[in-house]
Amino acid sequence: MSILQAKRKRQDLASTLSASMTNEERAVYNIIRGKKEMGIWQGDIKRETNIPDSMLKKSVKLLISKTLIKEVVNIQNKSKKVLMAMEFEPSKEITGGEWYTEGRLDTQLIDALSDVCLKLISRKKVATRDAILEWTRTLGSEVFPGGVSSGQVEQILKVLVMENKVQEVNSTGFGEFSTVPAGEVCFRLAKKVGTNVKAGAMASIPCGVCPRIKFCTPNGVISPTTCQYYQKWLDF
């Protein structure tokens, strides 16, 4: 059954059950349904209808049991759930977006997707966003129970670029880019050149292996100014 078919089925069910609703239930349901993907707090329903607390709570409980409405955690106020008609999906303002589950930032999902991106890029040398997305799908529900969207992969890649863990480049179509069409945006591991160059230069200084280094002083018999090996290193 498609999403559209399921939505129509719920609408038909609501119409059928509407005939058996009390006036209070119908008023509560219509207000909730009218708020669509934003939902409404129970306290706001009371202010709009003036229905007594006990009757309002009973109406909400019955509507939930009939699967006509649902409770949704609001990221802006987790202690107060909003009520929403079953046919609507909560807006990003309510849920916090794709990175939130039950009103909480899903750090496990973020860490897992970051790890997958880095591993595939390391294995393939270069990888596109779509290639990474496809790989997440092959990993199945064991790693990503709710699946991953292209937008989520793109956001993680942007963060990895900002953290200087990967580089965003355009494929040349040759060499390490042979698997990616020329001109297409792809990602590769960042090259930390600075650290390697510095280490190589320091390792080649003759002072590091000189057996007389402890006798070397600026104005002594053995000094950097008179050392022929040190001078040759400087000239090189």
Side-chain angles (χ1 to χ4, degrees), residues 2-14 87:
S2 67
I3 296 176
L4 182 59
Q5 288 175 326
K7 185 179 292 188
R8 285 176 178 171
K9 186 175 181 179
R10 281 195 293 268
Q11 289 174 344
D12 293 340
L13 177 61
E87 63 203 78

Side-chain angles (χ1 to χ4, degrees), residues 15-200:
S15 299
T16 301
L17 292 175
S18 178
S20 61
M21 290 181 186
T22 64
N23 291 334
E24 290 77 13
E25 286 177 33
R26 190 176 296 105
V28 171
Y29 176 69
N30 288 336
I31 288 175
I32 294 172
R33 190 165 181 268
K35 299 301 180 181
K36 298 182 179 180
E37 71 277 1
M38 293 302 296
I40 185 172
W41 282 314
Q42 190 165 302
D44 292 334
I45 298 175
K46 182 180 178 182
R47 281 189 285 273
E48 289 191 28
T49 62
N50 291 319
I51 297 175
D53 278 340
S54 58
M55 192 171 292
L56 176 58
K57 289 179 181 178
K58 182 180 179 181
S59 297
V60 169
K61 187 176 181 180
L62 286 171
L63 290 171
I64 291 175
S65 68
K66 294 175 181 177
T67 64
L68 292 175
I69 65 171
K70 57 188 173 182
E71 292 182 313
V72 180
V73 174
N74 189 328
I75 188 64
Q76 299 176 20
N77 192 333
K78 297 178 183 178
S79 63
K80 295 171 64 177
K81 294 182 179 180
V82 298
L83 299 169
M84 188 177 299
M86 287 296 293
E87 63 203 78
F88 298 107
E89 290 299 321
S91 67
K92 290 184 179 180
E93 289 86 348
I94 299 295
T95 64
E98 296 179 303
W99 298 113
Y100 285 80
T101 302
E102 292 297 319
R104 295 182 179 180
L105 183 64
D106 195 339
T107 55
Q108 289 186 336
L109 172 60
I110 294 172
D111 291 341
L113 187 51
S114 296
D115 187 54
V116 164
C117 288
L118 289 171
K119 282 184 177 178
L120 184 62
I121 294 171
S122 177
R123 180 184 300 180
K124 299 289 187 180
K125 304 303 180 185
V126 293
T128 62
R129 181 200 63 185
D130 291 342
I132 295 172
L133 178 62
E134 185 59 32
W135 197 37
T136 64
R137 290 170 177 167
T138 63
L139 295 175
S141 59
E142 292 184 3
V143 180
F144 300 109
V148 172
S149 70
S150 60
Q152 287 176 307
V153 173
E154 188 170 350
Q155 288 180 55
I156 289 295
L157 287 170
K158 286 181 179 179
V159 171
L160 293 175
V161 170
M162 290 175 62
E163 292 177 343
N164 199 31
K165 292 180 179 178
V166 303
Q167 294 176 323
E168 180 178 338
V169 293
N170 290 322
S171 172
T172 62
F174 300 100
E176 65 179 358
F177 299 103
S178 60
T179 59
V180 181
E184 190 168 334
V185 174
C186 54
F187 300 84
R188 65 182 179 187
L189 294 181
K191 297 179 180 179
K192 299 180 180 180
V193 179
T195 302
N196 294 332
V197 170
K198 184 177 180 180

